[in-house]
Amino acid sequence: MELVAEPIEAYLRNLVGSKHAAQDAMEALAQERDFPIVGPCVGSLLEVLAKSIDARRVLELGSGFGYSAFWFARGMPKDGEIIHTDLDAENRQSAQGFLRDAGFADLMTYAQGNALEVLAQTDGPFDLIFCDIDKIDYPKVPDLALGKLRSGGMLIFDNTLWSGRVLDQDKDADTQAIIDLTQSLYARTDVTNTLLPLRDGVLISLKH
Ligand SMILES: C[S@@+](CC[C@H](N)C(=O)[O-])C[C@H]1O[C@@H](n2cnc3c(N)ncnc32)[C@H](O)[C@@H]1O
């Protein structure tokens, strides 16, 4: 299911435009490999959100080759920190190159291994935690993450409409995991939630 009509998507993409050659190179690589980056519309949202809460410390769960980190970095001060996590060492190496080219090397810390283990083992507080790992693991994240967010911090999940599959009668395990995650956050009293139907759905939980 197309969540946002393609002409509107194109209009939004054109508004964001190109901010840096590294952005263009990452978008080209994503297209070439059919790799799921957040894209410029969600990217610019991440930049605005980071800036709006004066984020200085961001943990990314599932960073790929650095595209979403590029957008967070644009919304952060030069002495901030973004922790990049990815299971794939080649993605990490590519991210190092792209983010260095973009001028963000000093913000970046590269953590090895499973993002959930990195999350469990890394001390907070964080201003913002962004989750884009395998969807089956989404329900595990709030209990691990919310205690490490500062008050007023944000926990953000990508793909929370999952191309509309959240409406399927017969839901596969990934879809059910996204629904379980979403319902668990909406049932909590210590966060305020909004789910934006932008690209593939972005769920933002603001910690009280
Ligand atoms: C959707 S892509 C990330 C895209 C990235 N956030 C962006 O927009 O540029 C998901 C990435 O998460 C990684 N991944 C999936 N599950 C993971 C896990 N449990 N721990 C660490 N990385 C994981 C995959 O290797 C993949 O590169």
Side-chain angles (χ1 to χ4, degrees), residues 26 35-39 42 46 60-72 85-88 91 113-118 130-135 137-138 158-159 199:
M26 286 188 275
F35 184 87
I37 56 171
V38 292
V42 172
L46 301 181
E60 274 203 324
L61 310 174
S63 302
F65 49 70
Y67 185 82
S68 45
F70 167 85
W71 288 100
F72 281 124
T85 66
D86 205 277
L87 289 170
D88 186 314
N91 281 342
N114 190 309
L116 292 174
E117 286 167 20
V118 174
F130 175 61
C131 183
D132 200 7
I133 57 173
D134 291 343
K135 309 313 156 195
D137 287 328
Y138 271 24
D158 192 30
N159 308 111
R199 200 185 68 99

